[in-house]
Amino acid sequence: MKVLLDLQYLNVATTGIKTYMMELAEAALAYPHPEIEWIFSHDPKIQSADQTFKGHQSKIQRLNYHMDYFRWKEFQLPDLVKKHQPDVLICPDFVSPVASLPCRRLTVIHDAFFWQMPQNYPKWWRTYFLRLIKKGLKENTEIITTTEYSRKSLYKYLKKIYPMTVIYQAPKRLENGLDTTFLEENGLADQKYFMHLGTFDKRKNLPMLVRAFDNFLNKTKADFKLVLAGGAGQSAQMNDLPIVEKLVEELGLQDKVFLPGYVNDHQVAALYKNAFAYVFPSENEGFGIPILEAMANRIPVIHSDQPALMEVAGGCGLPFKTGDQQDLMEKMIFLALDDDQINSMVGKGLEQSKKFSAQKFIEGFQNVILKK
C-alpha cells in the first residue's frame, strides 16, 4: 500500500506542528511496515531548513507565502497524487486539497483553536484558513487528531461527522548532545530555575506566569530564576512577548527572568537537564509536547488543569486551576519546599513519558492506514 506524506508545510512550521511532522516522518522510516510504502513529498530535513518564508516578513512576503501554500495544496500536491497514485494521502497540517482525489485522505487537525479562540487570529486569515480546511474535508476523508479533548472539541464545531481517530504523538528526541556552555554563559549552570518552552502566544498565559513568579519570589525570598525560551507569537494579535518584556521591567525582574528567544535543540536539552521544574500555564492546548519532554528529562511539571494537558500528564504532574495566578504561585511554593513530592513526581513522570513513543505513534497511523 502506497502512502504519500505531505511535508511541504515544514518550510514554515514551528514548535508543535513541526515536531509532529518531523517525528512522523522519522518514525515511518525507523519502524517500517511490510505492507506500507512511504512516499515523502519533500525531504524533511531539507524542507525544515528552508529559510525562504521564515523570520520577520513584510505583508508582500506573507502574501507570497500564502500564494505558494495555496499553489502547493490545490495544484502541485494533486499532481503528485496523480504521479505516484498512492492509496492514502496524509496531510499533517490541517489542510487537504479541494480537488477530487482517487485515494483515501488522512487529514491531521491538531486542535480546535481556530473555532475556540477567534480573537487570537486576524479575521481575514482565519476566515480563509477555515474555508481551506472545510473544503478539503471531502470524499474519503478521515481525521486524525491528538487527544480526546481535541476530538470532542472538533466534533462540537464541525457540522459533518467524519471518522476521527486519536493518535498520541511522540515528543522530539533530544539525544544529540547538550550545550552546557549556553547554561554557563547565561548564569544557569548552578542556578535553580523554572522554565517554559514555546512561542509567546496569548493562550500560553505567560504574563500570568511572570506575575506568579514575582509573587513566589516575594513570598519565599528563594534564589530562583524563570526561563521563558521561545520566539514571538505567530501574529501581532497573538504575540504576548512585548507584554512580557514590559512586565519584567515594571516588576524589576530583569535579573530574574531570562528571555533567550529561539533556542536550538542542544540548548533545549541543556535547559531541560538543569531545570528545577517545568511550568505550563496555557489556557488551551491540543496536546502539550513539553510535558512529555520535561518528564522524560526527570523534571517535575506544574501545569494548568486544561483538559489536554491533564490527559497527557496522566495524573503525574501538579495541576493548578487554569488562569488562577494565586493557585499557580502556591503550587510553585509547594514544589520548592517538598523534596519528597519532587522525587515522587519525577518517578511517575518518567513512566508516563514512556507511553508516548515514536513506535506507538507510527503504529497508530499504520493501524488506520491498513484497516479495512
Side-chain angles (χ1 to χ4, degrees):
M1 182 171 292
K2 288 185 180 180
V3 179
L4 175 59
L5 177 59
D6 175 13
L7 297 174
Q8 192 266 355
Y9 188 69
L10 275 174
N11 65 347
V12 294
T14 59
T15 59
I17 294 183
K18 179 180 179 181
T19 298
Y20 191 101
M21 295 174 72
M22 292 295 292
E23 293 303 316
L24 177 58
E26 290 180 10
L29 297 175
Y31 301 99
H33 191 286
E35 296 181 44
I36 297 176
E37 175 189 350
W38 287 92
I39 302 166
F40 293 171
S41 67
H42 300 75
D43 181 288
K45 292 183 178 178
I46 294 175
Q47 187 69 358
S48 65
D50 184 355
Q51 298 297 312
T52 305
F53 297 109
K54 290 176 180 165
H56 181 72
Q57 301 282 317
S58 67
K59 288 184 178 180
I60 294 297
Q61 289 170 318
R62 290 196 297 271
L63 179 61
N64 284 339
Y65 165 70
H66 288 302
M67 291 175 64
D68 182 76
Y69 184 80
F70 182 83
R71 220 171 15 245
W72 168 257
K73 284 291 182 181
E74 306 309 337
F75 298 99
Q76 293 169 287
L77 183 55
D79 283 347
L80 206 59
V81 170
K82 185 176 181 180
K83 175 183 176 182
H84 291 290
Q85 299 183 342
D87 300 285
V88 180
L89 169 66
I90 300 178
C91 293
D93 60 338
F94 291 81
V95 177
S96 178
V98 174
S100 293
L101 301 175
C103 61
R104 289 170 59 202
R105 308 174 190 227
L106 300 183
T107 301
V108 182
I109 302 184
H110 298 254
D111 49 61
F113 295 166
F114 299 118
W115 292 273
Q116 294 170 323
M117 311 176 79
Q119 71 278 8
N120 285 357
Y121 304 94
K123 184 176 180 181
W124 70 268
W125 183 88
R126 176 178 172 271
T127 300
Y128 166 73
F129 201 65
L130 282 177
R131 189 168 296 170
L132 280 183
I133 293 173
K134 291 179 179 178
K135 286 186 175 294
L137 297 176
K138 59 188 301 182
E139 299 170 333
N140 195 359
T141 292
E142 298 169 68
I143 295 174
I144 305 297
T145 194
T146 54
T147 55
E148 288 297 331
Y149 166 71
S150 290
R151 184 182 67 83
K152 292 175 183 177
S153 298
L154 288 169
Y155 274 139
K156 179 179 178 181
Y157 292 101
L158 295 174
K159 293 182 179 179
K160 181 180 175 182
I161 301 299
Y162 299 88
M164 194 179 308
T165 302
V166 173
I167 299 177
Y168 288 135
Q169 65 194 85
K172 182 188 294 186
R173 284 164 286 179
L174 300 169
E175 302 169 349
N176 297 323
L178 307 178
D179 184 358
T180 54
T181 303
F182 174 74
L183 299 180
E184 294 166 1
E185 290 176 346
N186 293 288
L188 298 173
D190 299 311
Q191 172 71 55
K192 286 185 177 181
Y193 58 87
F194 296 98
M195 70 171 282
H196 178 275
L197 176 67
T199 58
F200 282 73
D201 286 352
K202 288 189 179 297
R203 63 184 173 82
K204 301 288 186 178
N205 271 347
L206 295 179
M208 185 199 69
L209 173 54
V210 173
R211 294 189 186 96
F213 177 66
D214 182 55
N215 294 154
F216 166 84
L217 293 179
N218 292 332
K219 289 277 189 180
T220 64
K221 309 301 180 185
D223 183 20
F224 276 77
K225 286 190 177 182
L226 173 64
V227 178
L228 302 177
Q234 296 182 354
S235 71
Q237 283 177 264
M238 296 167 64
N239 183 25
D240 263 352
L241 179 56
I243 294 172
V244 167
E245 291 174 330
K246 183 179 179 181
L247 186 59
V248 168
E249 184 177 353
E250 288 176 351
L251 296 174
L253 295 174
Q254 294 92 330
D255 294 332
K256 290 293 185 180
V257 178
F258 179 42
L259 304 171
Y262 173 81
V263 285
N264 63 40
D265 285 354
H266 292 174
Q267 293 166 339
V268 169
L271 284 172
Y272 275 132
K273 287 296 183 184
N274 214 48
F276 172 77
Y278 190 92
V279 186
F280 209 149
S282 185
E283 68 179 34
N284 201 359
E285 291 291 334
F287 190 76
I289 289 173
I291 284 183
L292 300 176
E293 292 175 344
M295 289 179 172
N297 280 282
R298 302 174 183 271
I299 302 169
V301 177
I302 302 172
H303 60 86
S304 64
D305 63 358
Q306 190 270 341
L309 300 186
M310 295 289 287
E311 185 176 339
V312 172
C316 300
L318 187 60
F320 71 94
K321 185 177 180 180
T322 302
D324 191 325
Q325 180 179 317
Q326 177 72 17
D327 193 18
L328 173 54
M329 178 202 68
E330 290 174 358
K331 294 302 190 297
M332 295 169 79
I333 292 174
F334 174 68
L335 202 59
L337 298 177
D338 195 331
D339 290 341
D340 290 339
Q341 177 70 18
I342 291 174
N343 293 333
S344 174
M345 289 176 63
V346 165
K348 292 177 181 178
L350 184 60
E351 291 306 309
Q352 177 68 3
S353 70
K354 294 176 182 178
K355 299 177 182 179
F356 298 80
S357 67
Q359 184 172 359
K360 290 179 180 178
F361 184 28
I362 197 62
E363 284 176 353
F365 272 93
Q366 291 167 350
N367 290 338
V368 175
I369 290 166
L370 295 173
K371 74 178 182 181
K372 304 301 181 182

